[in-house]
Amino acid sequence: MLRGHRLYVETLVMHDAIELRIPLRPPQVVAHTALRVVPAQAPSRPIGLLLAPGAGSDHTESVLAGLARGLSARGVAVGTFDFAYRHAGRRPPDRRDRLVRAFEDVL
């Protein structure tokens, strides 16, 4: 369980990252997003950070991916995800309330 949401069992290991399928509450344009977690390398204490891409980009954006890898190497587990509008193939972002709701769902 994740904050009252059922966490799907579909977990994939992709290039040193774990991918989890996370349900999104309506009114989103898609029902799920993928949370990609880059585990901390040799963590000294449990620290994690959730990052979302800027307007019009996605989790593959080089700065975001590089930041996740760099923090992971320094002992911080990093999660990244794409907003629903990106899964739907759109570039202009959704309204702020939808973005905040998606962020809360992923948390």
Side-chain angles (χ1 to χ4, degrees):
M1 282 296 216
L2 181 67
R3 285 195 171 223
H5 294 286
R6 185 170 168 227
L7 192 63
Y8 284 73
V9 181
E10 296 178 29
T11 303
L12 306 170
V13 177
M14 305 174 62
H15 307 288
D16 300 325
I18 299 165
E19 186 169 299
L20 303 168
R21 188 174 177 198
I22 306 292
L24 297 173
R25 293 173 290 164
Q28 301 291 352
V29 293
V30 296
H32 300 90
T33 190
L35 171 63
R36 289 156 207 88
V37 179
V38 180
Q41 298 173 14
S44 58
R45 59 189 181 279
I47 298 175
L49 181 64
L50 180 61
L51 299 174
S57 64
D58 61 23
H59 76 278
T60 62
E61 200 275 322
S62 62
V63 172
L64 188 66
L67 182 60
R69 283 191 307 275
L71 289 169
S72 170
R74 288 164 181 78
V76 178
V78 179
T80 62
F81 72 98
D82 291 331
F83 288 106
Y85 74 91
R86 292 299 294 156
H87 283 287
R90 297 190 347 240
R91 289 193 56 84
D94 284 332
R95 296 184 327 257
R96 183 180 186 275
D97 61 321
R98 286 189 180 184
L99 299 176
V100 169
R101 184 174 209 140
F103 209 97
E104 291 170 346
D105 288 346
V106 174
L107 281 175

